[in-house]
Amino acid sequence: MAFSAKVRRDALVHAARHCCVCHRYKSVNIEVHHIDPPGDGGNDDIDNAIALCFDCHASAGHYNSKHPKGSAYSRSELRKARECWHSLVRSGVSSCPPTSSNWAYCRYILCKSFSVISEIVRGDFSRIPVSEPLLAENVALEQMRMLVQMHDSDSRQNKVIGDMFTDAAAYRTKFPEVCTRDELVNPHFPYFETVRTPDETEIRERVVPLDPVSGFLIDEGARPEDVCLAVGYEDDCGTGGFQELYKTRPLWAGFLEIRNIHEAAVTVRALEGELSVVEPRYRGFSESAGASCSWPLPSAPILQHQSVLVPLAVFLAPLLRGTPSPHTSEESALSYGQYQDVERVDYSGLASDIGIIGPAIWPSSVLVESQGATLTQELHLLDLSNLYTIDRHWAMGSCPHLFFRYCDGCIQYAQEVFSRRPVEIQRHRVKVPEKVEGVILAELEHETTFICCMSINGQQRIVEQELTQGESLEKSVAAGDDIQIVGWYCPELFYRQDPIYQNQLICHFIEDK
């Protein structure tokens, strides 16, 4: 169970983004906590929500009875603390002129979808989940604008379709150096059967005509292995065959959101920080900076709940590994079949795999004026362990997926089920390999799987069951068992599948299990 976006927002507003126990203003370092835990029957209503800083959250013992910080706060104490603090907020304790510690809500955002970046640089915020933003002009925005104009499209695919081969053997004959699934030591490509690195000539001939950004990265010093990979898989949909794709290096745009959460209007004058070196233009991620700088910000008064959005840098997502599962995720429909995800993530483990292209701004403080007073708001450094991301995807409909649970508890991807085509009853047969004790059938996308029956060694174990997005079922098995599954699936959209996105969903499913 989880609080809805509305409940979370209301809980933070009622507390003015202060901790209800210690009363410290915590900006983004705050959680909305269940007073009565879901496991004990607690619901997701606002009456069961309390805003707590990370320290006090850890001390709410029933949140995790094994937490090393102990169990300082009882449920009754939390309720009393919440009511007392909410009463102080309602009485106007936070309505005085803003100080350097209580006027702003700041967070770092990574825009992972190229269409989101395109809309921001054009000044179109109609679909951007940032509160009434004013966009700051700086060198980072110029870099983003140049890349968008280079691509000449609001969308940039995460792949370029390569050649189709009759089977995997024919593919390996052409590319004998390719790594197969059994040889791969990288756990981030469970869906694909082969991975190889194309050379610069191949990238320029096959990829760059459809993705100019890949050519730009090479021109700026990126090695071929930092620009794209060639991955292959059995394409069971339609006529079938072994399909190769070029997985291109995704661009991420980094922003700082500065939101006025105070009743009084503020005028944001300047952002202070450091500008990292711009030569070489392509380089690895580093928080080390260069010269101290100051950047002017939009001088218009920022009313309560309005924001300034400050471009920081163009980052390059990891190519050889996927991103970890988010801490929290909120999905909203943009149009029929298209969705937007806003997630809070910890990408601290990806620092060595993230790149930067062009200038990068590292903020340290922001100067503002309010009611005749000049204030300095200190900012926490860009922290990869506490980011918000905005991403978009289409409901492609890929069919359900089968996983094996091994005796040591590890989950391994097995294969797709009912993959020949949607809305057609199919029979799938699987032989259980050694050291497997469970099989999992999972529905990961916006579609519905209909299981007519599932039998193990001729004995029916499941009859007439449906799985929708996020649902799965698991059955115990033994090595050598014969599994037969009869059913079909119906996607929301009948578009060509996106194997790169499927691979990401499969990785997150394995990680969460």
Side-chain angles (χ1 to χ4, degrees), residues 368-387:
V368 302
E369 292 181 2
S370 179
Q371 300 181 359
T374 300
L375 309 172
T376 299
Q377 171 71 59
E378 300 297 327
L379 301 172
H380 65 87
L381 297 177
L382 194 156
D383 181 4
L384 291 179
S385 68
N386 188 20
L387 295 171

Side-chain angles (χ1 to χ4, degrees), residues 191-453:
Y191 181 76
F192 299 108
E193 297 184 35
T194 60
V195 177
R196 68 180 183 89
T197 302
D199 59 23
E200 180 179 333
T201 300
E202 184 179 358
I203 293 174
R204 290 192 182 277
E205 291 178 352
R206 301 299 305 274
V207 179
V208 173
L210 295 174
D211 184 48
V213 171
S214 292
F216 174 76
L217 295 179
I218 291 178
D219 292 340
E220 295 298 332
R223 302 170 301 173
E225 56 266 34
D226 295 328
V227 175
C228 98
L229 290 175
V231 294
Y233 68 104
E234 291 286 352
D235 187 2
D236 292 331
C237 296
T239 58
F242 194 84
Q243 178 69 62
E244 183 175 60
L245 299 175
Y246 295 97
K247 181 182 184 293
T248 57
R249 186 81 180 263
L251 297 181
W252 292 346
F255 295 87
L256 169 67
E257 180 192 0
I258 307 171
R259 184 187 307 173
N260 180 16
I261 61 171
H262 202 271
E263 295 174 353
V266 299
T267 301
V268 186
R269 293 301 186 190
L271 179 76
E272 295 186 334
E274 295 182 332
L275 178 66
S276 68
V277 295
V278 296
E279 297 294 343
R281 292 178 60 79
Y282 170 78
R283 58 200 185 279
F285 176 86
S286 174
E287 293 184 5
S288 61
S292 297
C293 295
S294 179
W295 297 269
L297 296 176
S299 58
I302 309 300
L303 304 179
Q304 187 180 31
H305 304 311
Q306 286 186 324
S307 298
V308 174
L309 198 61
V310 184
L312 300 180
V314 175
F315 299 103
L316 299 166
L319 186 61
L320 292 173
R321 60 182 300 182
T323 56
S325 297
H327 291 316
T328 62
S329 180
E330 296 178 7
E331 183 184 74
S332 58
L334 295 180
S335 60
Y336 178 65
Q338 188 182 28
Y339 296 86
Q340 181 165 272
D341 298 317
V342 178
E343 299 177 336
R344 188 167 72 85
V345 300
D346 179 356
Y347 285 174
S348 56
L350 302 180
S352 61
D353 299 283
I354 295 176
I356 297 177
I357 186 74
I361 295 171
W362 306 103
S364 59
S365 61
V366 60
L367 301 180
V368 302
E369 292 181 2
S370 179
Q371 300 181 359
T374 300
L375 309 172
T376 299
Q377 171 71 59
E378 300 297 327
L379 301 172
H380 65 87
L381 297 177
L382 194 156
D383 181 4
L384 291 179
S385 68
N386 188 20
L387 295 171
Y388 288 82
T389 63
I390 305 173
D391 201 4
R392 292 174 181 170
H393 66 274
W394 289 90
M396 295 297 184
S398 67
C399 68
H401 299 275
L402 193 69
F403 299 81
F404 291 137
R405 184 186 296 277
Y406 282 79
C407 297
D408 60 2
C410 291
I411 305 295
Q412 181 175 314
Y413 180 66
Q415 59 195 88
E416 294 173 297
V417 181
F418 313 147
S419 57
R420 189 166 61 244
R421 61 180 58 88
V423 198
E424 177 184 289
I425 293 181
Q426 300 169 52
R427 182 182 300 272
H428 205 87
R429 188 169 184 176
V430 180
K431 197 77 169 179
V432 178
E434 294 291 329
K435 300 181 181 180
V436 170
E437 63 178 14
V439 293
I440 305 170
L441 188 63
E443 182 51 77
L444 305 181
E445 297 195 54
H446 288 273
E447 58 191 21
T448 303
T449 291
F450 300 88
I451 304 172
C452 300
C453 66

